């Protein structure tokens, strides 16, 4: 089973959603979505000339939904294009000139996309929307270029699914740390104001 990161991270997210979140429609939808990703993890469809995984399509649709909530449409478009180009560029450089990579491509791509999503997005929804759409578009761009030279390529492969899951975990973790730091800073400022009064 090559999707180790994918399944572990999504199962962990599902457990958090079901057992730790407050009962709400958001919790129900999130747990249903995560369970759908887990169930469809091995499903694929043939879209000539590619084999496309079902989680790839779900990731893309989820990303489009999250981005549609953003009021900054042009900014969202430019951010996604930048991240997609970064995804495809790292893959192409690693393919054509692997000497440049002292670190595995998996960690370079997940780190780069996570940092760009955190930097370019304001809210967790915007960050995840940018991440999901950019990684999907970048995969299509990369394999679209490769399709001129190879046949039988798979869009949304195990590597893609693992990168998406690890990037999701990184963005959620960093956003949580950012929120915790902001709350701590606000608490310390209130305490300082209380001492001055």
């Amino acid at each position: 089973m090559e999707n180790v990161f994918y399944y572990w991270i999504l199962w962990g997210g599902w457990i958090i959603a079901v057992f730790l979140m407050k009962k709400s429609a958001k919790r129900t939808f999130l747990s249903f979505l995560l369970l759908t990703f887990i169930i469809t993890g091995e499903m694929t469809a043939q879209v000539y000339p590619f084999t496309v995984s079902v989680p790839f399509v779900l990731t893309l649709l989820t990303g489009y939904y999250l981005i549609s909530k953003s009021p900054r449409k042009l900014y969202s478009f430019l951010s996604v294009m930048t991240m997609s180009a970064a995804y495809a560029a790292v893959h192409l450089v690693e393919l054509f000139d692997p000497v440049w990579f002292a670190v595995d491509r998996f960690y370079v791509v997940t780190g780069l996309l996570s940092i760009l999503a955190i930097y370019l997005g304001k809210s967790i929804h915007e960050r995840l929307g940018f991440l999901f759409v950019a990684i999907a578009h970048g995969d299509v761009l990369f394999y679209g270029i490769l399709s001129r030279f190879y046949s039988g390529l798979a869009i949304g492969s195990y590597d893609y699914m693992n990168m998406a899951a690890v990037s999701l975990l990184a963005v959620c973790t960093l956003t949580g740390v950012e929120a915790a730091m902001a709350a701590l800073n606000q608490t310390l400022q209130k305490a300082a104001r209380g001492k001055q009064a």
Side-chain angles (χ1 to χ4, degrees):
M1 179 158 63
E2 291 91 349
N3 280 345
V4 174
F5 291 125
Y6 176 79
Y7 286 116
W8 275 99
I9 290 169
L10 291 184
W11 271 120
W14 184 81
I15 288 168
I16 290 169
V18 170
F19 296 111
L20 300 179
M21 289 178 70
K22 293 179 182 176
K23 290 184 180 181
S24 66
K26 182 179 177 181
R27 179 191 94 156
T28 304
F29 178 74
L30 181 61
S31 58
F32 172 77
L33 184 65
L34 289 171
L35 201 55
T36 304
F37 271 98
I38 292 167
I39 291 169
T40 61
E42 299 293 322
M43 294 182 184
T44 59
Q46 189 66 35
V47 180
Y48 184 80
F50 302 105
T51 301
V52 179
S53 72
V54 173
F56 170 85
V57 176
L58 292 174
T59 303
L60 187 60
L61 293 176
T62 303
Y64 284 151
Y65 172 74
L66 292 172
I67 286 180
S68 71
K69 293 183 168 188
S70 174
R72 310 179 302 164
K73 302 299 182 199
L74 180 61
Y75 179 81
S76 298
F77 173 77
L78 294 174
S79 298
V80 166
M81 293 286 80
T82 301
M83 293 172 67
S84 300
Y87 178 93
V90 170
H91 278 80
L92 289 170
V93 169
E94 193 263 343
L95 180 68
F96 293 117
D97 199 4
V99 174
W100 285 95
F101 283 83
V103 179
D104 187 60
R105 168 183 46 94
F106 179 87
Y107 301 109
V108 173
V109 171
T110 54
L112 179 63
L113 289 182
S114 301
I115 290 168
L116 285 173
I118 292 290
Y119 179 72
L120 295 172
K122 283 187 175 180
S123 67
I124 185 69
H125 295 101
E126 200 172 56
R127 290 171 177 176
L128 292 179
F130 289 173
L131 177 69
F132 291 159
V133 174
I135 199 167
H137 285 188
D139 211 44
V140 169
L141 178 60
F142 174 63
Y143 285 113
I145 293 168
L146 286 188
S147 66
R148 297 180 179 186
F149 310 106
Y150 304 100
S151 61
L153 298 172
I155 294 178
S157 63
Y158 293 139
D159 198 32
Y160 162 85
M161 291 159 62
N162 284 325
M163 281 186 206
V166 171
S167 298
L168 166 71
L169 178 64
V171 168
C172 289
T173 302
L174 292 172
T175 302
V177 168
E178 184 181 60
M181 294 298 287
L184 178 64
N185 187 27
Q186 191 175 23
T187 304
L188 292 175
Q189 285 179 356
K190 283 182 182 177
R193 283 190 211 124
K195 288 180 180 177
Q196 290 175 355

